Amino acid sequence: MHELSIAYSVVSSATEALAGRKVAKVDSVLLRVGALSGIMEDPLQFCWGLATEGTLLAGSGLVIERVPVTIRCRPCGQDVALDGVQSFRCPRCGTPGLEVLKGRELEIVSLEIEEDGDDAHSGVATGDSEKERPAGG
Amino acid sequence: MELRQGILKKNDLLAADLRARFGAAGLLAVNLVSSPGAGKTALLERTLRELRLTGQRVAALVGDLETDNDARRLAMSGAPVRQIQTHGCCHLEADMIGRHLEGWDLGQLDYLFIENVGNLVCPAGYDLGEALRVAIVSVTEGEDKPLKYPAMFHSADVVAISKIDLAAACEFDRDAALRNIREIRPGVEILETSSKSGAGFAEWFELLARRREAADEAEA
Ligand SMILES: Nc1nc2c(ncn2[C@@H]2O[C@H](COP(=O)(O)OP(=O)(O)OP(=O)(O)O)[C@@H](O)[C@H]2O)c(=O)[nH]1
Ligand SMILES: [Mg+2]
Ligand SMILES: [Zn+2]
């Protein structure tokens, strides 16, 4: 189990990315976690408070988007998402999936932040579109 | 704010550097992963010894939480061996490999073996720049190990079923084991080895030579 060290690296990457910005508060961090990443959601959530303590991210929430394994099935001519990771066969035709297209992800997608000096939320994770300013505006 | 950044990006970049160095040096780097006690060190002891007898130039790095017992066992082969003490870290990372290669002339090596920390979860996501990842599962562990640790077994290029000399005593169900491995990692090469009797080692050495040749051709 190394969810704590994963949590620490998320904190350090996010802190680096926020350098130079006037951040009042980080509301949440969105991660994308593939079913083959070897990372489990519960322990990661469990570690989050500890890893963020005393940092810019203290008090933020962790939002995890899970990505199922997707294989390319040649016989079906299709990309198929799998239900779990107990079998890599195509659920339609039973052919073993040799090409895995998705499921290894382990990435920070976005940060939902409140900047100092204004109340506007800045972020793309929540689809909070009315608060997003147009580019260059 | 959008970030789109791999959490293990630093490790991935260092691993890519290592892979380029290994490729340029013409050596095959092999990362051995398994649960504690599945037989990584025993397999390597015999591998180092026998490859050296056939004139191959081999070296090993051994990850261990606290001790240097495995490194001492491997050094008996006469090959250069270095211990990587992880001090509680449950897996090896690319920067640990880089630091422990200092002073070795990679151009003088044919194979570099890396024994990872005994753990079937954490090492899965950490690329060490290896050309070949070998997951070892012993007959004493139960045939469903691959189903329990799919991320690790799915990341393997080769699966070695070890301690095959104990198969009968453990009532090892070979068909179930092969089926489970293939369910998780279709197309993977499977070996059945005993580091006690030497069973399966001819196939193992053949595989290593073949992969090394393929890597050399890809480089050329
Ligand atoms: N019978 C038999 N015993 C083996 C074989 N390989 C390893 N063992 C025994 O299994 C035990 C563990 O073997 P190691 O090689 O130390 O296992 P390991 O995977 O390196 O262990 P850690 O480094 O602690 O994770 C030792 O007592 C070995 O003698 C084998 O092929 N047959
Ligand atoms: Mg060992
Ligand atoms: Zn199909």
Side-chain angles (χ1 to χ4, degrees):
Chain A
M1 290 279 222
H2 60 296
E3 274 77 4
L4 183 60
S5 76
I6 294 292
Y8 280 125
S9 36
V10 172
V11 171
S12 98
S13 302
T15 308
E16 257 174 53
L18 291 173
R21 282 186 176 240
K22 292 209 176 81
V23 181
K25 184 171 181 294
V26 178
D27 289 329
S28 61
V29 177
L30 176 64
L31 302 186
R32 191 170 284 149
V33 177
L36 281 176
S37 68
I39 297 301
M40 293 191 287
E41 174 157 4
D42 288 349
L44 192 55
Q45 290 286 8
F46 185 77
C47 293
W48 188 242
L50 180 64
T52 55
E53 211 174 76
T55 75
L56 260 182
L57 285 83
S60 65
L62 189 62
V63 181
I64 294 174
E65 178 193 326
R66 305 184 54 81
V67 184
V69 174
T70 298
I71 57 162
R72 172 154 296 165
C73 182
R74 296 274 166 192
C76 289
Q78 259 175 348
D79 298 342
V80 195
L82 304 181
D83 270 346
V85 285
Q86 292 295 290
S87 170
F88 283 73
R89 285 172 193 283
C90 171
R92 300 156 191 241
C93 72
T95 304
L98 296 175
E99 284 173 83
V100 171
L101 307 176
K102 284 188 201 159
R104 296 196 188 90
E105 297 76 1
L106 185 56
E107 58 189 29
I108 311 175
V109 181
S110 59
L111 307 175
E112 189 76 10
I113 60 181
E114 289 175 32
E115 301 211 41
D116 247 352
D118 70 20
D119 284 334
H121 289 55
S122 153
V124 292
T126 61
D128 197 3
S129 55
E130 72 221 68
K131 296 233 169 110
E132 266 179 47
R133 276 157 291 185
Chain B
M1 74 183 273
E2 191 125 17
L3 218 57
R4 281 301 203 122
Q5 184 178 320
I7 294 170
L8 302 178
K9 192 180 79 179
K10 281 185 189 134
N11 187 76
D12 289 344
L13 291 174
L14 289 170
D17 281 351
L18 287 173
R19 184 164 287 113
R21 280 174 66 193
F22 296 153
L27 74 79
L28 190 80
V30 182
N31 179 6
L32 293 134
V33 295
S34 79
S35 54
K40 298 177 294 300
T41 307
L43 181 98
L44 279 185
E45 284 179 296
R46 193 168 191 123
T47 301
L48 296 179
R49 201 169 62 230
E50 295 200 7
L51 284 178
R52 278 170 59 84
L53 284 176
T54 60
Q56 304 292 314
R57 300 165 303 173
V58 296
L61 297 176
V62 194
D64 196 291
L65 292 168
E66 297 299 344
T67 77
D68 66 351
N69 296 346
D70 288 358
R72 281 193 278 112
R73 278 166 66 190
L74 294 179
M76 308 261 275
S77 68
V81 176
R82 282 183 183 161
Q83 176 74 37
I84 304 178
Q85 255 165 27
T86 62
H87 299 295
C89 184
C90 49
H91 57 267
L92 292 178
E93 299 189 8
D95 80 305
M96 303 177 190
I97 304 301
R99 279 189 276 120
H100 284 82
L101 289 175
E102 262 165 48
W104 276 359
D105 182 355
L106 299 183
Q108 294 301 309
L109 291 177
D110 299 313
Y111 296 98
L112 172 68
F113 295 94
I114 304 168
E115 175 176 341
N116 218 311
V117 178
N119 181 332
L120 279 175
V121 181
C122 306
Y126 290 86
D127 186 358
L128 304 181
E130 73 265 28
L132 205 63
R133 183 176 293 186
V134 181
I136 301 175
V137 55
S138 64
V139 296
T140 61
E141 293 175 67
E143 299 78 8
D144 58 353
K145 265 283 155 79
L147 302 177
K148 290 180 175 165
Y149 299 93
M152 180 58 95
F153 283 91
H154 185 80
S155 77
D157 302 295
V158 176
V159 175
I161 302 175
S162 64
K163 310 191 189 180
I164 207 81
D165 55 294
L166 302 176
C170 299
E171 299 183 23
F172 177 66
D173 185 343
R174 177 173 182 271
D175 291 342
L178 295 177
R179 192 167 59 239
N180 291 339
I181 293 166
R182 294 197 173 110
E183 211 54 51
I184 298 299
R185 184 57 158 167
V188 73
E189 283 200 64
I190 303 177
L191 296 166
E192 297 169 61
T193 60
S194 166
S195 303
K196 290 267 189 271
S197 74
F201 273 72
E203 291 79 2
W204 167 229
F205 293 136
E206 182 276 323
L207 183 156
L208 286 173
R210 176 161 40 82
R211 294 294 185 118
R212 181 158 181 269
E213 220 166 273
D216 267 357
E217 271 165 29
E219 191 69 21

